[in-house]
Amino acid sequence: MIHTDIAEILCVKPKTKKRTKTMEEDVKKKKTKKTMKIQGEVVVMKKNLLDFKDAMASFLDRVHELLGRRVSLQLVSSLQPDPANEKRGRLGKAAHLETWVTKIKTSVTAEETAFAVTFDWDESMGPPAAFVIKNHHHSQFYLKSLTLRNFPGGEGGPIHFVCNSWIYPSHRYRSDRVFFSNKAYLPNETPELLKELRKEELKNLRDNEKGGKLKEWDRVYDYAYYNDLGAPDKGPDSARPVLGGSPDFPYPRRGKTGRKPTKSDPKSESRLALLNLNIYVPRDERFSHVKFSDFLAYALKSVTQVLVPEIASVCDKTINEFDSFEDVFHLYDGSIKLANGHTISKLRDVIPWEMFRELVRNDGERFLKFPLPDVLKESRSAWRTDEEFAREMLAGLNPVVISRLQEFPPKSNLDSTRYGNQHSSIREEHIKPHMNGLSVQEALGQNKLYILDHHDALMPYLTRINSTNTKTYATRTLLLLQEDGTLKPLAIELSLPHAQGESHGAVSKIFTPAEKGVEGSVWQLAKAYAAVNDSGYHQLISHWLKTHAVIEPFIIASNRQLSVIHPIFKLLHPHFRDTMNINALARHVLINSDGVLERTVFPGRYAMEMSSSIYKNWVFTDQALPKDLLKRGVAVENPSSDNGIELLIEDYPFAVDGLEIWSAIKTWVREYCTIYYKNDKAVQNDTEIQEWWNELRTKGHGDLRHESWWPSMQTYDDLIEACTIIIWVASALHAAVNFGQYPYAGFLPNRPTVSRRFMPEPGTEEYTELEENEEVAFLKTITPQLQTLLGISIIEILSMHSTDEIYLGQRDSPNWTADEEPLEAFKRFGKSLELIENNIIRRNNDKKFKNRTGPVNIPYTLLYPNTTDYTREGGLTGKGIPNSVSI
């Protein structure tokens, strides 16, 4: 305490003599203290996201500025305590942003503006470690950063405060907005005068006492069940079970919104109107102006629920049917021609004009022309080959399910007392003609039999699913690994529940490869049923559940329990960008009752309920790629190999590229954590880490809190493995299962999402149709026209990279930390990713690896990091690993 009267602080009345001496010393200090001018630069963005009231807001802010109600900043001392609270650093004199009136302009796009700011600062207060900002204007602005230049004694360089936060008018907050410098500290190493500020900021983000509907300026991170998917007030058909909080329907938690319950079910949360996208997520979790603009532009090209009833009137020829593959190709060649001016007028009545202009292209008559999917660019028939059908299990959009068959016939793990005999009916005589001379036992012994098995996941729901317009099967697909590294389909098993009830077991039919005649047509249909299963599982489980949904609790827990200056928060934060926002939008229009997913994917109204049943068996530690590959039997342990495993399918593009990415991430995480944690004790003594992990387990994934597989978080290795898994899932795993959607499923016959009738039986009209016109029969079986339009519109959006994408190995600011060692380690991480990019290009050009391009000639680039790309072009690139689950 340099300036403060110690006696006054201690509330002790001193002797007169000492008091006089102290006063004399204080006067002397005041005469000798040195006040200096610190020059700073504040970067802000004024434009609210596509807010058309922005012009008025900017005008009112200028009025406030002229009236003296300005934006003020106060630096916080790292050395001197506040006289009013010795646990905090002393506040400096308030400074204001300069020339706001002349610099801020209203514009169509959001633009960054740099303001000068000058602080009067007592040199003896040391380098500032934080600052307080107060917005006395009418409206909010985005605060990107504060930089203090040439601070004396500041180790020779500028002091950076990376903020990236929306600042609302001060009356909206219960406490001051505080930002820390970019120096990282473990809790017990935090400078003494920052500890209370650190704790208070976390308390503000938890704000457990906040009740009612959360407002856009609230900064509350809290948990809620998935109780906002249904709309029970519309009637029982629109009601959906609450996911989470019960043993029947366990689920990860989502972010709390605080909306009131529905009238007919107090356990369900009310929903916003369909076109109201203002769903609460903490303001700093919402899309940037660029991302939101991109998202809306892409959405204008999609068909939503509002359009579905209207499109039916413009589909010519056979209503809601494609009459041939040429009809489907026409979506990309020339689109659908609108019938007449009356139809256009009708559409204009129900579609906002901006959306209409985007949907109806330049000639004014063409509706929904889509870009040509990669799967069709080389050939319009290669997608139908058996080799491509099998290859996509290794290098397509869902390469995370295939497993090695370890016993024959395949066995079921379903409860036989409830479901009867669910084991496979496939026998050796079914597959022997296609085994390339091998017996089943020889193939098993040589690790050459593989299976795509969706039987157990779907069978418990088939009776209910097939009571709707959907008519589908639970499928098993057996494959043989050949000498050239490709997979060859051997048989497809289509199973239904027994007609006398589920407890009587499964009724199955086996189909084997054929190329000609009606047998060839039947085989193509069998592959389509298998693809329908895989498409639904991909969208609901591999994509939504195992990336989007499971990551959100980590985001909430990290913001609630890890300070922004915690090293692990700095490590993980880039991998949380935009996830809460995209998940909220998904709950609003994609996975909700009667939403896009229910309309376009075969489980329909049972989709999310089915994903809940799969979550029961989700294991956090199994999300580590090496462990996942071991669990699926596609790799074996080999201590001498990289990552300690050896792939049994050498040409497995997802696994080969993925293991290199996994290794690079883990090396980066290990190097980073080593800087801050020297031993296991340091992890155990980190109070924030312990609270974070406890809350994540008991609240975020609370339905699985008693599982024994949760790491104890007592060791350095626990921390490294957990952080590596989080980064892998949020970045590479999501990229692998997301950005291949349009390249492969943009042509829906390749990845149908619905089947509408069962396999035709000989002697029926359907079978005759299959004999006479295989294309018509095929198209009548899979996704109909309207759902196709809706489905490919949505996956086009989901497959787009934003123009502000930040890829793995990149950061949004070079000043994300003040610590040199992490910056150097991050550079090494980037270099390792660049090497992986080169490796991927080399492997794709090596003709030995047939699975990397296949008959459709699509090079496997879904795990190409794109670290070297700073062009910010975005679009349907089919490559690049964004840092986070952001679309």
Side-chain angles (χ1 to χ4, degrees), residues 707-764:
E707 298 294 339
S708 60
W709 43 257
W710 283 106
S712 62
M713 201 52 69
Q714 294 296 300
T715 69
Y716 172 73
D717 287 336
D718 283 347
L719 181 62
I720 291 169
E721 186 76 358
C723 291
T724 305
I725 291 172
I726 293 167
I727 295 172
W728 161 259
V729 170
S731 60
L733 180 60
H734 178 259
V737 298
N738 183 73
F739 292 103
Q741 290 186 86
Y742 195 82
Y744 287 102
F747 178 62
L748 222 61
N750 184 52
R751 297 283 302 178
T753 57
V754 168
S755 52
R756 294 177 283 155
R757 60 186 191 182
F758 294 123
M759 182 70 79
E761 296 287 347
T764 63

Side-chain angles (χ1 to χ4, degrees), residues 61-72 96 136-137:
D61 286 341
R62 290 191 185 97
V63 172
H64 280 64
E65 188 79 12
L66 292 171
L67 293 175
R69 299 176 64 183
R70 307 173 67 186
V71 175
S72 69
H96 299 88
H136 298 292
H137 283 177

Side-chain angles (χ1 to χ4, degrees), residues 587-640:
R587 297 196 313 273
H588 189 55
V589 298
L590 291 179
I591 62 174
N592 57 303
S593 64
D594 302 316
V596 173
L597 205 67
E598 289 193 0
R599 289 176 179 270
T600 59
V601 179
F602 77 89
R605 63 175 294 134
Y606 304 105
M608 293 302 291
E609 187 177 328
M610 194 179 89
S611 75
S612 169
S613 71
I614 301 296
Y615 176 65
K616 292 177 182 178
N617 299 313
W618 180 80
V619 177
F620 173 73
T621 49
D622 286 352
Q623 308 315 301
L625 180 60
K627 196 163 183 180
D628 168 61
L629 296 171
L630 288 171
K631 189 174 183 178
R632 290 192 281 123
V634 295
V636 292
E637 292 182 352
N638 184 346
S640 63

